[in-house]
Amino acid sequence: MTAKFITLEGMDGAGKSTHIPNIIKMLGARGVEVISTREPGGTELGEKLRTLLLHENMHPETETLLMFAARREHIAQVILPALARGAYVLSDRFTDATYAYQAGAKGVAANKVVQLEQWVQEGLQPDVTLLFDVPVEVSVARLSNARTPDKFERESAEFFAKIREAYLLRARENPERFKIINANQPLDKVYKAVEAQIAVL
Ligand code: TMP
């Protein structure tokens, strides 16, 4: 069985999404089905929740609950069926983002996230998580040049510093699963670092 659940994480502006086509190509070359998906989103209902989450102001716990509502649907409709078929599932963000954004940066109690994670995921965890890491100044500078920012992208450098710290803590707590990619280097070097991680999957 080849089935592998791969997630991509990092602050806004870390550049993770740029690498998705290349990762799909690498995995696809093995002749195995590859599903590329994202959170919040990944299903019709999840994409509707994404629009609400990215543009409406709400209590951080409401945000957490909606992230997990979208995730529940995503797991049931997309992730588990694909893994059962033996596919590679590549998700642009998953639960580590909730630990980083809602718990780390917005102060939701981490034990509440743990409870929701246990309830919704029933033990499901990514096999590997590529964490695209850049210094906060780099992320903020990239975002200031970007398209119209969403609610999250308008946050302050202090907010992003908390996100980075929370992601790095998750990586230290889950060293087997996390692969940290230094995304603060020329794009071809980042590509090579990503390729090296995908090659050993
Ligand atoms: P994206 O721009 O990488 O698609 O992510 C959308 C935004 O949603 C991003 O700013 C991070 C945020 N987010 C959370 O705050 N919590 C979560 O659990 C997830 C999956 C995303």
Side-chain angles (χ1 to χ4, degrees):
M1 204 68 167
T2 8
K4 284 244 158 50
F5 181 24
I6 305 156
T7 58
L8 307 182
E9 298 283 359
M11 280 185 283
D12 301 87
K16 63 184 163 45
S17 310
T18 311
H19 298 277
I20 293 173
N22 197 36
I23 298 175
I24 295 174
K25 207 168 106 195
M26 276 191 83
L27 293 173
R30 298 177 190 177
V32 175
E33 184 190 1
V34 184
I35 299 286
S36 176
T37 184
R38 68 172 181 182
E39 288 206 355
T43 64
E44 207 175 308
L45 176 63
E47 290 295 326
K48 287 183 181 161
L49 292 171
R50 178 185 176 94
T51 304
L52 286 175
L53 281 159
L54 265 49
H55 301 288
E56 300 289 334
N57 288 319
M58 60 186 83
H59 190 283
E61 291 190 350
T62 309
E63 204 168 87
T64 306
L65 289 165
L66 288 181
M67 290 290 177
F68 273 102
R71 188 162 294 139
R72 184 69 195 93
E73 205 61 22
H74 193 205
I75 290 171
Q77 281 193 37
V78 178
I79 300 175
L80 288 182
L83 291 175
R85 291 196 301 273
Y88 287 107
V89 177
L90 177 65
S91 185
D92 190 350
R93 298 194 188 281
F94 194 62
T95 303
D96 295 306
T98 315
Y99 280 100
Y101 284 76
Q102 280 68 45
K106 297 195 176 187
V108 172
N111 74 309
K112 291 187 175 171
V113 179
V114 171
Q115 283 175 38
L116 288 169
E117 179 184 30
Q118 287 170 347
W119 180 32
V120 165
Q121 291 169 224
E122 296 179 321
L124 174 74
Q125 289 295 341
D127 294 293
V128 62
T129 297
L130 302 186
L131 174 59
F132 290 77
D133 184 52
V134 289
V136 173
E137 316 79 76
V138 173
S139 150
V140 170
R142 285 183 186 168
L143 288 175
S144 67
N145 296 326
R147 54 188 163 69
T148 319
D150 64 38
K151 181 180 104 184
F152 291 95
E153 292 166 345
R154 283 194 299 269
E155 292 282 357
S156 66
E158 201 185 324
F159 178 86
F160 286 112
K162 287 183 187 162
I163 291 170
R164 185 182 189 205
E165 204 180 301
Y167 267 133
L168 292 173
L169 176 65
R170 293 287 296 159
R172 283 197 298 279
E173 287 173 347
N174 300 275
E176 306 277 284
R177 171 163 71 84
F178 269 84
K179 311 293 170 203
I180 299 178
I181 305 286
N182 172 8
N184 186 29
Q185 47 179 349
L187 198 55
D188 60 323
K189 291 229 166 91
V190 186
Y191 264 123
K192 287 221 163 65
V194 172
E195 278 176 1
Q197 293 299 341
I198 297 297
V200 296
L201 284 183

